[in-house]
Each structure stands twice: as structure tokens, then as C-alpha cells.
Amino acid sequence: MPHAVEWPELRALTQDADHVDVKTVEGDVTLREFLAGLVSYEPDWMRFLYRVRAGFVRLLGMRQGELPSAAGMRPQDVPFTPGEKLAFFTVTEAEEGRYFVAGTAESHLSAWIAVVAEPGRFHVVTVVKYHRWTGPVYFNVIRPFHHLVVAGMARAGVAPGAGRAHA
């Protein structure tokens, strides 16, 4: 199984995925604090990349809406109920203190972000499944930026004060 992961909660999601990657960071925060810091990460360079993405997806015949902001999200406001929204992701499953999975679907691909919490460590798992030819074209162009964005988000999740400023 080329995309197997070690966490049973994610095996079904990753088994037929076209792309899976894992970023691991260490930090002494709760899962809610980590998620609040992760989704609150919105540096100017990331907003700029999102504007560039808008032009690129138009070339592929797709549209892009506004980037929903989650800046300043508080840990107690992180949704853990399936169907609720976290930025542009919809929660699919979560267990307080253990793991969190949320996804989004577009015409070209579906993507999920999952976070598995272990004592002092968080694994951020990205899962992508392509729907049509534009999926791999799109994702392979943005892949280097994807790694930078997700790594930055993961570091922000464990940064001092991240997700706790408004707790």
C-alpha cells in the first residue's frame, strides 16, 4: 500500500489517495490550541500565493472564491462536530485530544487535512484525491508551495502563544 499511514483513524482515507504527506512538529499545546494556531496562520506571503493561485486556476477553467480567514481563532471555537466548518474545510471526523480530520472538494480534486496528536507531538497529514486531469496538473504546480504553507502552519500551531492568545 503506497500511501499507508501508521494511524488506524486515517487508513481508509489514505489507502486510495493520489498524494499523502506528513509534517511532524513538537510542542506542548493541546490539540485545540494547535488547530487554532494552525488555521490562524495567514502571513502576507501566503495571501499573495492565494492571489496568484486565482489566476492559475482560471487558466485551468476553474474559479476560486475568497480565502476565508480564520485569523485569531480561539481554541474553544475549533469545531469537532462532523459537518461544521473550519475555514474552507468541513470537519469529517474528530476525537477531542486525539485527532482531527477535515476536507474540502473542488471540481479537480478533494483534499483533507488531518492532525494526529501524540504527547508533545503533532502529525499534520495532507491527503489529496484527483477527480479529473486538472487535479494532478494543478497539484503538481502548487506542490512546492503546499509544502511551505503546511510546514509554516504546523510551526504556527506550536508557536509560543499560538492559539492561546484569546483562550
Side-chain angles (χ1 to χ4, degrees), residues 9 31-32 35 79-82 91-101 115-117:
E9 299 88 350
L31 177 56
R32 280 184 178 274
L35 290 165
F80 269 70
T81 303
V91 178
T92 56
E93 62 179 296
E95 184 177 319
E96 191 75 45
R98 289 199 52 233
Y99 72 97
F100 176 90
V101 181
V115 176
V116 178

Side-chain angles (χ1 to χ4, degrees), residues 14-90:
T14 60
Q15 71 185 5
D16 62 344
D18 294 301
H19 173 85
V20 176
D21 67 69
V22 180
K23 307 276 187 270
T24 301
V25 293
E26 295 185 358
D28 187 26
V29 296
T30 67
L31 177 56
R32 280 184 178 274
E33 290 168 338
F34 179 79
L35 290 165
L38 178 119
V39 300
S40 292
Y41 183 66
E42 295 180 9
D44 289 340
W45 65 265
M46 199 163 93
R47 290 183 214 271
F48 172 75
L49 286 177
Y50 199 75
R51 286 193 300 274
V52 170
R53 177 194 186 271
F56 175 57
V57 297
R58 273 197 302 274
L59 290 173
L60 294 176
M62 301 178 290
R63 284 196 231 179
Q64 170 179 297
E66 289 295 314
L67 177 63
S69 177
M73 173 159 289
R74 302 174 309 166
Q76 65 266 32
D77 296 331
V78 173
F80 269 70
T81 303
E84 291 186 328
K85 291 289 218 182
L86 179 65
F88 54 85
F89 289 104
T90 301

Side-chain angles (χ1 to χ4, degrees), residues 84-154:
E84 291 186 328
K85 291 289 218 182
L86 179 65
F88 54 85
F89 289 104
T90 301
V91 178
T92 56
E93 62 179 296
E95 184 177 319
E96 191 75 45
R98 289 199 52 233
Y99 72 97
F100 176 90
V101 181
T104 187
E106 297 187 34
S107 62
H108 58 300
L109 57 76
S110 290
W112 292 264
I113 186 164
V115 176
V116 178
E118 295 178 341
R121 181 176 295 148
F122 297 89
H123 307 279
V124 181
V125 183
T126 304
V127 180
V128 178
K129 297 180 183 180
Y130 305 136
H131 297 311
R132 40 186 260 211
W133 69 269
T134 51
V137 169
Y138 165 80
F139 192 72
N140 284 307
V141 169
I142 68 129
R143 186 183 306 226
F145 306 105
H146 161 79
H147 288 293
L148 291 173
V149 168
V150 175
M153 291 172 71

